[in-house]
Amino acid sequence: MTSLILHHYPQSPVAHKVRLALGIAKASWQSVEIPRLPPKPLLMPLTAGYRRTPVLQIGADIYCDSQNIALAIEQSGQPARLFPDQTFGMAMMISAWAETTLFDLAVRIVLTNALGQVPDDFIRDRGSLYFEPNWTEAGLRASLPSVISEMHAALGLADAQLAAGNGIYLGGQQPCYGDASLAYICWFLRGRWDGGGEMLSHYPALCAVEAGLAACGEGVSENLDAIDALAIAKAATPQSPIGIMNGGSGFAVGQTVRIRPKGNTADPDVIGRLRYCDQMRVSIDHQHDEVGEIAVHFPVLGYVVTPADAPA
Ligand SMILES: N[C@@H](CCC(=O)N[C@@H](CS)C(=O)NCC(=O)O)C(=O)O
């Protein structure tokens, strides 16, 4: 089996979700630590410009976005299932909600409380990814009580769903990826906001999932140098399929497309030749001197794909 290489940094909550997923899957993986802020010169050749964290590399196949990474982990045939007992649809829906509603609220709480305590360039960078285009520190502070109320409302829903089940996890006794997508929000709030512990104490079923997955671990990892990861990509050939499997999309293999996360964010466009598209995944071919020919994969949900010559 080709090795899983995770490009990430320890403080990244979304990367933590993937590390928990690797633990559920009992995976062995290699860990490349990347910078928290651009530039990321040893990551960009692999991602065609996608700058977010984490990224999963399997040889010359590069998987961007945690939802897409979760699917790739499952498809890579690890010792344990990430979606056991037909939990795939439920887990992906819960995690899509966690990645948008829960993560958006958590980032606002954590960053608003960090104002004045973390470097300005970090807040500016994250603001350009997560907040309204004309956001201000005063606006963030003014909306904080409302954001905290919303977070309680959302955590209460997740807790009620867990409490109504037949085990500590969403699917019962076995953890699935959906559980990781709730646990990482708890990890983020508890670890990066001094009110996190108190907030979470109201949601015992969620805390049980958080504790269960912490005990489950993060699989078995060893460190890898970023330069070596580039060399691994260069020595490999993409193994992922080629073709348009969702015929209604109107796209053709080889067509140049632009891919970007939905929303008005500072994320750079990714441009490439379409390689593959199905209901869940869209992939481009990409060439770079440092990695040769690689394939870069994105999820369909949450991304906008347009012909590269269409207005941005
Ligand atoms: N939808 C993306 C979101 C990823 C994301 O926003 N990650 C944060 C770190 S937790 C990030 O990229 N921050 C900026 C950076 O690392 O450059 C996913 O699910 O992977």
Side-chain angles (χ1 to χ4, degrees):
M1 187 194 308
T2 313
S3 177
L4 305 180
I5 302 171
L6 188 66
H7 297 254
H8 65 137
Y9 48 80
Q11 303 88 342
S12 159
V14 183
H16 187 67
K17 174 176 62 169
V18 169
R19 294 188 293 260
L20 293 177
L22 289 161
I24 294 171
K26 301 193 194 312
S28 299
W29 52 284
Q30 291 175 292
S31 170
V32 175
E33 188 163 340
I34 61 172
R36 289 181 81 181
L37 283 175
K40 306 185 183 191
L42 300 179
L43 181 69
M44 292 302 107
L46 288 169
T47 62
Y50 177 82
R51 63 149 290 188
R52 298 237 192 173
T53 309
V55 168
L56 182 77
Q57 174 183 356
I58 306 180
D61 283 287
I62 312 299
Y63 297 88
C64 299
D65 195 284
S66 55
Q67 299 286 88
N68 187 34
I69 290 173
L71 187 56
I73 292 172
E74 181 73 345
Q75 290 170 338
S76 67
Q78 297 304 316
R81 302 275 60 77
L82 194 47
F83 301 97
D85 305 326
Q86 303 187 335
T87 49
F88 181 73
M90 176 274 289
M92 283 306 228
M93 282 195 284
I94 298 256
S95 58
W97 175 71
E99 206 46 61
T100 49
T101 300
L102 289 183
F103 186 61
D104 176 72
L105 294 169
V107 164
R108 279 169 198 273
I109 293 171
V110 168
L111 289 185
T112 305
N113 281 282
L115 291 174
Q117 293 172 46
V118 301
D120 242 29
D121 58 342
F122 184 81
I123 298 280
R124 300 276 138 223
D125 178 69
R126 295 315 195 250
S128 76
L129 298 178
Y130 298 128
F131 301 152
E132 313 53 57
N134 296 320
W135 67 275
T136 61
E137 294 193 0
L140 288 181
R141 286 201 177 93
S143 61
L144 186 60
S146 164
V147 171
I148 290 176
S149 299
E150 260 199 273
M151 186 52 121
H152 271 293
L155 293 179
L157 293 177
D159 197 69
Q161 179 61 33
L162 286 165
N166 292 323
I168 70 167
Y169 297 114
L170 285 166
Q173 305 300 335
Q174 295 295 321
C176 71
Y177 174 62
D179 297 294
S181 76
L182 298 177
Y184 93 97
I185 297 291
C186 300
W187 179 86
F188 187 36
L189 286 173
R190 196 186 293 286
R192 301 271 270 286
W193 173 43
D194 54 13
E198 198 284 326
M199 174 179 263
L200 290 166
S201 69
H202 298 274
Y203 308 107
L206 264 177
C207 292
V209 168
E210 185 193 8
L213 289 194
C216 192
E218 301 180 354
V220 180
S221 68
E222 61 178 31
N223 292 337
L224 179 70
D225 201 281
I227 297 278
D228 294 334
L230 295 178
I232 288 171
K234 195 161 193 171
T237 307
Q239 298 298 304
S240 54
I242 298 173
I244 305 295
M245 314 312 283
N246 53 347
S249 69
F251 287 115
V253 169
Q255 178 178 358
T256 306
V257 292
R258 173 191 297 114
I259 303 180
R260 50 174 300 106
K262 268 170 105 167
N264 195 351
T265 70
D267 289 282
D269 288 347
V270 170
I271 309 271
R273 286 164 285 116
L274 193 63
R275 172 184 178 90
Y276 179 81
C277 191
D278 68 14
Q279 221 174 336
M280 294 298 292
R281 181 173 284 152
V282 53
S283 314
I284 56 169
D285 285 315
H286 177 64
Q287 203 278 336
H288 189 283
D289 285 352
E290 290 180 57
V291 293
E293 290 286 344
I294 59 171
V296 191
H297 310 278
F298 295 87
V300 168
L301 258 182
Y303 285 74
V304 182
V305 185
T306 45
D309 53 7

